[in-house]
Amino acid sequence: MFSSFFSTAPPVDPNAPNFHPVSSAYQPSELFGELEPKDTEWACPGGFAVETQIFYQFLEDGSSLMCQVIHSAVGVWYPTIQFTFKYYNATTKEKTWKSVNVNNFVTPPPGLDKRSSKADEFSITYKPKPGSDTPETYLVTANLGDDLQITMEVVRPAGVPGFKVGKGHNGGFSYFGPDPKNAEGYVVHRFWPRTFATGMLVHKGQATPFKGPGMFVHAIQGMRPNLVAARWNFAHFQSEQHGGVSAVQMDFTTTEAYGRKGAGSGSVTVNVGSLVLGGKLAAVTAETKWPDEEPAANAGVISRAIHSKTAHDPDTGYNAPTEIVFRWAAPSIVPDAPGPIDATLTMDIGQPNAYKGLIEKVDVLAEIPYVIKTMVNYVAGTKPYIYQWVNPATLHVNVPAGLIPGVSGTTEVEGTVYSEATFIS
């Protein structure tokens, strides 16, 4: 436990890279790494780590819901496991949020593997159906109190495999510290970029059946969250048009401490994304933005979330976005439809005091468990916030022939986008 106080390792060059982004680790032809069974198993890491599984779903009326399990390890403390649920009714603008610290968390449950988990308050059961149109399924049930229960079946269509950026054991990982093989920390994401859910929500005694498209992500932050990143962006677009369309993008920007020239060279942005077009996973994108380089306008692979317009938000103290532009570009990975793919999603969300489709400005410190709050030393005077929106949106795509039936070149796809912008420091 105390060996790090007496390290005999050779001194590290202070200007050596101490951040190794997944978005720079693979060639354009190597970005798609199909998920292996162990990728979505619960790792339950110790030390300082947060592991999560999140199901994001849209409903037919444009409403959205999220179910999330969070496993938080804080040093020598016993892990905290939360089940978090959020439902936003697009018609009434009512939001329902519940976070429960669960009891008797187990993975794997008896007779299942570590892709499943359960506690007194919920169960998530993984069921494979190889060779079928829906080869993988999660059954999610949660009893979050007398006034809130949910049951849903989430299926992954055969044409949309789960992915990470890059194949093999290291696929998906960004590493912090001078030596990736003995990293100080890491971040990894694994995605199902398009799913379909059917379920029942029981709220205040009223049962509401629902169905709709969505996505699933399994992620781990293997270090203190305030050291991982100063900013995060996320977009999740789904449409039933053209046989099923999805556009997903996630990025994070490191703190000043981690970059390619050691401490002080940070603010590196790692962006990963995907496009599902015509019901098939068509492209995986990944791009690194270094603070001392302008990204190339005509790069072969583009994966970018730009706060193209901002305004000061007195509620949070941050310069918050009023317009966000998400851009994807990469070669098609569909064998019978080769060629470049390009897609853009522009969100005009209005001013911070009158946002369109705002679900919430989440005060993170008010929602994380007390034990984590005491161990995570946020800089005095800073307060992390997550902005969450859901809105109708148009995805502008340019596709090669054969990818979407009857479409070659540019087209517009109407759908719904859930998005987040997170400010940590």
Side-chain angles (χ1 to χ4, degrees):
M1 181 175 179
F2 300 106
S3 60
S4 60
F5 294 164
F6 307 104
S7 173
T8 55
V12 174
D13 176 358
N15 296 316
N18 66 355
F19 179 60
H20 309 273
V22 68
S23 43
S24 295
Y26 300 94
Q27 296 299 314
S29 61
E30 301 173 331
L31 292 175
F32 169 56
E34 187 164 359
L35 292 186
E36 303 164 37
K38 63 178 173 45
D39 284 324
T40 47
E41 291 182 351
W42 282 95
C44 302
F48 287 87
V50 178
E51 181 174 16
T52 186
Q53 287 189 341
I54 314 175
F55 298 88
Y56 295 99
Q57 296 299 148
F58 292 119
L59 282 49
E60 289 178 302
D61 64 355
S63 298
S64 71
L65 67 80
M66 177 194 79
C67 291
Q68 177 177 24
V69 180
I70 310 168
H71 181 286
S72 305
V74 187
V76 298
W77 296 82
Y78 191 75
T80 300
I81 294 92
Q82 291 169 279
F83 190 101
T84 298
F85 171 85
K86 183 169 274 185
Y87 168 65
Y88 176 73
N89 186 313
T91 305
T92 66
K93 311 303 181 191
E94 180 188 8
K95 64 176 181 287
T96 304
W97 182 85
K98 191 87 179 223
S99 183
V100 176
N101 279 8
V102 305
N103 299 291
N104 300 313
F105 175 81
V106 175
T107 185
L112 299 167
D113 67 21
K114 293 189 78 170
R115 288 173 287 187
S116 299
S117 62
K118 68 184 282 286
D120 293 350
E121 295 80 4
F122 80 90
S123 69
I124 296 177
T125 305
Y126 172 86
K127 291 189 172 182
K129 299 178 191 171
S132 73
D133 290 341
T134 54
E136 295 186 281
T137 299
Y138 279 106
L139 294 173
V140 181
T141 64
N143 184 347
L144 304 176
D146 294 341
D147 62 343
L148 187 61
Q149 297 88 39
I150 185 170
T151 304
M152 69 176 177
E153 180 184 67
V154 180
V155 299
R156 178 184 69 76
V160 188
F163 80 92
K164 57 191 175 183
V165 172
K167 293 180 173 64
H169 176 71
N170 294 328
F173 281 87
S174 294
Y175 294 104
F176 295 77
D179 180 6
K181 292 185 174 59
N182 187 26
E184 296 171 12
Y186 61 89
V187 171
V188 60
H189 289 80
R190 290 101 175 202
F191 301 91
W192 288 6
R194 184 166 169 84
T195 62
F196 196 84
T198 53
M200 181 76 72
L201 174 64
V202 181
H203 182 225
K204 296 178 180 174
Q206 183 173 347
T208 306
F210 66 85
K211 61 181 179 178
M215 66 168 283
F216 164 75
V217 60
H218 186 131
I220 309 174
Q221 292 182 45
M223 63 195 296
R224 297 175 190 245
N226 59 317
L227 300 181
V228 171
R231 299 280 190 274
W232 294 82
N233 289 294
F234 174 58
H236 167 221
F237 172 91
Q238 298 285 348
S239 171
E240 297 295 271
Q241 295 183 354
H242 300 298
V245 172
S246 154
V248 172
Q249 201 176 105
M250 181 280 308
D251 81 11
F252 67 92
T253 300
T254 65
T255 65
E256 280 298 315
Y258 291 96
R260 63 174 165 186
K261 296 176 185 173
S265 68
S267 296
V268 182
T269 299
V270 177
N271 186 307
V272 301
S274 64
L275 292 167
V276 173
L277 300 164
K280 299 180 285 287
L281 180 61
V284 172
T285 61
E287 189 177 24
T288 308
K289 183 182 184 301
W290 302 101
D292 53 354
E293 274 182 22
E294 269 304 307
N298 58 349
V301 175
I302 291 174
S303 206
R304 296 174 195 168
I306 306 296
H307 292 194
S308 44
K309 296 177 184 174
T310 62
H312 178 73
D313 182 358
D315 289 348
T316 66
Y318 290 107
N319 280 332
T322 60
E323 181 184 83
I324 308 176
V325 178
F326 295 94
R327 173 97 185 275
W328 298 257
S332 166
I333 60 173
V334 178
D336 53 0
I341 299 173
D342 201 311
T344 302
L345 178 67
T346 301
M347 288 175 40
D348 172 11
I349 43 183
Q351 294 300 307
N353 63 348
Y355 270 138
K356 301 171 192 171
L358 179 72
I359 301 174
E360 194 173 2
K361 302 173 187 179
V362 181
D363 179 346
V364 175
L365 290 182
E367 294 194 3
I368 63 175
Y370 175 76
V371 66
I372 299 176
K373 212 177 299 185
T374 59
M375 305 298 278
V376 176
N377 298 312
Y378 285 99
V379 178
T382 67
K383 213 174 182 187
Y385 275 92
I386 306 172
Y387 292 79
Q388 299 173 328
W389 304 270
V390 62
N391 282 296
T394 303
L395 184 73
H396 298 264
V397 296
N398 193 336
V399 297
L403 192 56
I404 298 175
V407 174
S408 178
T410 59
T411 191
E412 294 183 354
V413 183
E414 303 298 326
T416 306
V417 62
Y418 170 86
S419 55
E420 294 183 347
T422 302
F423 296 82
I424 294 176
S425 60

